[in-house]
Amino acid sequence: MSQEQPEPEGQPQKDAGPDRRNIEIAAWVFSPLLLIIAASVVAVLLGAPWLRSVIVFAVASLSLGLFLFHRPQSWMRVGKIRSAGLMYSGVGTLVLAIIIPVIAASQTPHGQAARAGRGESVVAQAPTTQALVPQRADFYPWAYSVSPLTLRCINSTGYGAGEVVATSSDDREFGVTANAISAERPSLATLRREGSTEDAVDQLSRAGLRLCQGPDRPSFVLIASEGTPPPPPPSPWVYTSDVDEMSDQRISHACTMSTNIIQLEFPYPAQRVTLCVRQHPRWGQDVIVRLERGGQFLCTSYRACTVRVRFDEGEASAYSALEPSDNSSDAIFIQNDARFIANLRRSSRVIVEANFFQAGAQRMNFDTSQFEWPRRER
């Protein structure tokens, strides 16, 4: 009887068959799309621009394929066919990176309007729900004697271009843009308030033109109302008060910090300066300029020095000043305080120029708007 011979060692394994090869071919065919997906995931995770991530992936694949095609590496045996596949992936990804934004842009209103301008047909779309829901906005300053006004765009020729009309609450219709004014539709200027600025008039026209979406597209609707004035900016003045222990009467301060920084010589740092008005029950009313971080005014307590003061755009004036009675050099008291405070009430900006030890004459700018003195109790 014949015995089965054992299979010799080292015999090649059987081919896995065509399935593995077909899967690999399909992976290479769709590899540009796979690179696009990988680049998109990385862009989302890192917060990077999508197009930049796609280009980086494409260039990396193309460069690696070119390198391995011309200079095969022992540590990465891919062969010339797979190297060419890497180059195909890179080129294909670059092509998709160009095509995808173009297709996306053609679906936007701007892209459709551009195609219509080139003579290509664009299917008219039915008005959307969003277009029928009025938007609302308040405008200040309001230039018209009627409020509210409902704006819409007609005969639009492109995004931001068309005829804007306004309808009042009593159904009167006015032209906002010049090409919307006719005998039946008077100019909105007929409702203009006396003293209204051109910018207040133009802002309604600009808002109306933003409603224009292009030909064959519905116009948004804007209900424009008279707005309220914005709140005033916070006061640059800080008001404080305490009690004088020797008289049990109130001491009041109003202080503001300079808007600029003065430069002093070592050892004193560059710093801002404080301007204060003080009402003291024993010493009366004073105007004080004080260095917050040390320094030396060139002034003495027994001999007045001169500082120059300019209120707003007026002429600079000379004021006498003295150091405190304790001979400290980081503050000065401006004399003739009644005159200074009277000018302070009428100004919004004050410049004080004084001389400093080894630093010369320097100017200190103060925002003095909203000054209230004496301040009423809240």
Side-chain angles (χ1 to χ4, degrees):
M1 294 180 63
S2 61
Q3 295 181 355
E4 291 185 2
Q5 298 294 325
E7 191 171 318
E9 295 181 3
Q11 181 177 346
Q13 294 182 357
K14 293 183 179 181
D15 192 356
D19 292 341
R20 180 177 178 182
R21 185 172 300 169
N22 291 338
I23 292 173
E24 184 174 356
I25 291 173
W28 284 113
V29 169
F30 293 103
S31 59
L33 185 58
L34 296 177
L35 276 181
I36 289 283
I37 295 173
S40 301
V41 172
V42 171
V44 171
L45 293 177
L46 300 182
W50 175 83
L51 183 59
R52 185 181 301 172
S53 299
V54 172
I55 291 175
V56 169
F57 271 68
V59 171
S61 177
L62 180 60
S63 302
L64 183 61
L66 284 171
F67 177 75
L68 295 176
F69 187 86
H70 292 287
R71 305 182 75 174
Q73 303 292 311
S74 59
W75 56 272
M76 191 174 186
R77 298 181 181 276
V78 296
K80 290 189 177 295
I81 293 179
R82 289 190 176 93
S83 298
L86 285 171
M87 290 187 283
Y88 157 77
S89 299
V91 174
T93 304
L94 287 175
V95 172
L96 289 177
I98 296 173
I99 293 176
I100 291 175
V102 172
I103 295 176
S106 66
Q107 304 303 317
T108 63
H110 298 282
Q112 294 182 354
R115 297 205 309 275
R118 294 194 299 266
E120 301 178 22
S121 61
V122 177
V123 178
Q125 299 182 4
T128 62
T129 304
Q130 184 182 12
L132 300 177
V133 177
Q135 304 174 26
R136 297 178 180 270
D138 294 333
F139 292 85
Y140 180 84
W142 182 253
Y144 308 99
S145 58
V146 171
S147 176
L149 291 168
T150 302
L151 304 184
R152 57 189 174 88
C153 179
I154 61 176
N155 301 326
S156 178
T157 57
Y159 182 79
E163 303 176 26
V164 180
V165 297
T167 305
S168 62
S169 56
D170 56 358
D171 294 329
R172 290 181 294 164
E173 197 170 66
F174 302 88
V176 177
T177 53
N179 52 4
I181 299 171
S182 64
E184 298 80 18
R185 187 184 294 125
S187 169
L188 188 60
T190 58
L191 301 177
R192 183 172 173 177
R193 282 179 177 171
E194 184 178 353
S196 56
T197 63
E198 288 298 328
D199 184 66
V201 173
D202 291 341
Q203 67 175 347
L204 207 65
S205 177
R206 293 192 297 268
L209 288 173
R210 288 195 290 270
L211 304 175
C212 302
Q213 300 297 303
D216 301 319
R217 293 189 63 82
S219 167
F220 294 102
V221 177
L222 175 65
I223 299 178
S225 305
E226 179 177 3
T228 57
S235 174
W237 292 92
V238 176
Y239 298 91
T240 59
S241 64
D242 50 19
V243 175
D244 177 27
E245 294 182 353
M246 300 301 294
S247 63
D248 291 333
Q249 293 182 324
R250 184 181 300 276
I251 304 172
S252 300
H253 293 86
C255 297
T256 183
M257 192 75 73
S258 66
T259 58
N260 67 317
I261 295 174
I262 64 169
Q263 305 292 333
L264 302 180
E265 289 296 316
F266 181 82
Y268 304 114
Q271 59 187 284
R272 299 186 188 277
V273 183
T274 301
L275 170 66
C276 287
V277 177
R278 183 184 70 180
Q279 181 66 49
H280 197 283
R282 289 183 289 146
W283 301 324
Q285 183 173 260
D286 292 298
V287 176
I288 307 169
V289 180
R290 183 174 60 244
L291 297 169
E292 294 298 325
R293 301 177 64 187
Q296 296 186 49
F297 286 98
L298 286 182
C299 206
T300 63
S301 60
Y302 55 86
R303 183 178 178 183
C305 59
T306 300
V307 296
R308 294 179 60 81
V309 181
R310 186 181 185 190
F311 296 92
D312 290 337
E313 304 303 322
E315 294 291 333
S317 302
Y319 281 79
S320 296
L322 292 171
E323 283 189 349
S325 57
D326 61 2
N327 294 321
S328 58
S329 59
D330 58 355
I332 56 174
F333 286 72
I334 296 180
Q335 304 300 291
N336 200 345
D337 53 271
R339 172 189 167 203
F340 188 97
I341 293 173
N343 289 324
L344 198 61
R345 289 193 181 100
R346 296 190 292 265
S347 69
S348 59
R349 184 172 67 101
V350 171
I351 303 174
V352 178
E353 183 182 74
N355 291 310
F356 294 88
F357 177 69
Q358 293 185 345
Q362 297 208 36
R363 287 176 291 276
M364 298 155 281
N365 301 329
F366 299 94
D367 177 4
T368 56
S369 58
Q370 304 185 53
F371 176 63
E372 184 182 337
W373 190 262
R375 190 168 187 250
R376 294 186 295 272
E377 294 296 331
R378 302 299 182 186

